[in-house]
Structures are given as structure tokens and as C-alpha cells.
Amino acid sequence: IFSPFFLYLINSLVFCSMKKWLIIVFALALFGCKKDQLSDDVLQPITSSTSYDLRDILFVDGRKGYAVGGHTFDESLILQTQDGGATWTQAHIIGNQKKIIYQLYPYKDKMYAVGLDGKTYIQYPEAENWHIHQNIWWEQMKDIVYFNDNEGLVVVGRNWNDGRIYKIDSLGNVLQRD
């Protein structure tokens, strides 16, 4: 059932010295980690029509997508596309307080984004505008995920030594802070 080479390999691995073992592991790692290369005909540059930094991009299907970013204290930016990224338009944010937006997350029929100063941005179903919800902790909200209709998590912090996780409700209000 086993080929002679396979039996030889097993025997060699079981009874070889540490030096040979490391050489075999290194050889397997070296030749087993090849990644496929993307060709230039697969990649296509897309013009976003903004000079602001983009922090996240998300396509909900082959045509509809969003990009977020801005400038730390000067601009909140949400771009939308309906044609797979060929053209982008800037979304209107009701009550925009011009703070950078870091991350996007779709949950069911809503689109969420989070950013600087404890802001959660929500686009409700069939709405053109985005709404801002402010929580009581004015921190940098870096990422968001929802588990059910009224419970999610947000990663918060400025750097490696200053991080927290918030349990939030559907509006971004903090329920628990760890």
C-alpha cells in the first residue's frame, strides 16, 4: 500500500539525527510555500477621486462597494461605487464631525463603519445617507464586528500599549469595556 520511497522517508525521519531532521524540515518549508503570482492583466488600478488616505475598502457584491478614510482631525470620507469601482461618489454623512474613519463592516442589511473619537457610522437599509452615533468614550475605534442584531465588538486604542475591546449595541453604545 505504501511506496518504497514513502517507507524510506518515514524510516529516515524516525531514525535520523537532529541535523538531518532540521535539513528535511527546512527543505519541505522552502519548497512547500510557493505562492501564485498575480499577473498584470489581473490587477487594475482604480482611481478614487480623492487625495485623502483610504483605510478600508469593502465590496458587498461584484458591483457595490465602499471605501473609508479621511484625515485624522479634518475629514471623514466614505466613498461608494455601484459599478465595481469604475466610478466613486462621496457619501453624505448626517452630522459629519470630520474625523477619520478606519474600518467597514456589513451586518445583515446595515453597513457599519468606525473611526476616531468613538464614532460609529451606520447606513440603514435603502438609505442614501450615513448617520453618526457617538458613544461616551471618545477613543479611536479601529475595527468592528457584530454577532447578532444588538451585540458587537469594537477594538479600540492608539498603539501597542493602549488597547481595549468594547461590547456594543446596534448603535455603537458601549455595554461593556475591557
Side-chain angles (χ1 to χ4, degrees):
I1 189 166
F2 295 111
S3 71
F5 175 75
F6 184 71
L7 291 174
Y8 172 76
L9 183 61
I10 291 174
N11 187 40
S12 297
L13 290 175
V14 171
F15 296 107
C16 71
S17 68
M18 181 59 83
K19 185 177 179 182
K20 288 181 184 177
W21 175 252
L22 289 174
I23 291 171
I24 291 170
V25 168
F26 178 73
L28 289 173
L30 183 64
F31 296 109
C33 295
K34 184 178 181 290
K35 302 284 186 213
D36 292 334
Q37 296 292 322
L38 290 176
S39 64
D40 289 339
D41 60 332
V42 175
L43 301 175
Q44 177 182 351
I46 297 175
T47 304
S48 66
S49 71
T50 183
S51 61
Y52 290 108
D53 291 339
L54 297 177
R55 296 300 185 110
D56 192 23
I57 186 167
L58 174 76
F59 279 84
V60 293
D61 58 37
R63 303 195 52 79
K64 187 176 183 179
Y66 302 89
V68 295
H71 187 265
T72 308
F73 299 108
D74 300 331
E75 188 63 37
S76 300
L77 181 66
I78 300 175
L79 298 176
Q80 301 175 139
T81 183
Q82 298 291 333
D83 57 13
T87 59
W88 294 86
T89 58
Q90 188 167 346
H92 182 258
I93 304 169
I94 296 175
N96 191 357
Q97 297 172 0
K98 303 206 179 272
K99 305 291 178 155
I100 194 167
I101 302 172
Y102 293 114
Q103 200 72 31
L104 288 158
Y105 185 77
Y107 182 73
K108 291 190 177 180
D109 55 354
K110 296 178 190 167
M111 181 64 68
Y112 289 89
V114 289
L116 187 65
D117 287 347
K119 291 172 180 35
T120 301
Y121 302 79
I122 304 174
Q123 185 181 39
Y124 294 97
E126 306 304 320
E128 291 183 26
N129 300 321
W130 288 70
H131 298 266
I132 296 176
H133 296 274
Q134 177 70 54
N135 73 47
I136 63 170
W137 303 97
W138 290 62
E139 298 188 84
Q140 293 185 33
M141 298 172 70
K142 297 289 190 163
D143 205 350
I144 184 171
V145 63
Y146 274 91
F147 300 107
N148 60 48
D149 291 342
N150 201 37
E151 186 177 48
L153 296 176
V154 173
V155 176
V156 179
R158 290 179 303 211
N159 55 39
W160 300 106
N161 294 326
D162 181 32
R164 281 158 299 292
I165 297 175
Y166 293 169
K167 181 178 176 182
I168 58 171
D169 67 12
S170 65
L171 298 177
N173 297 314
V174 177
L175 304 173
Q176 183 177 340
R177 189 172 185 249
D178 289 328

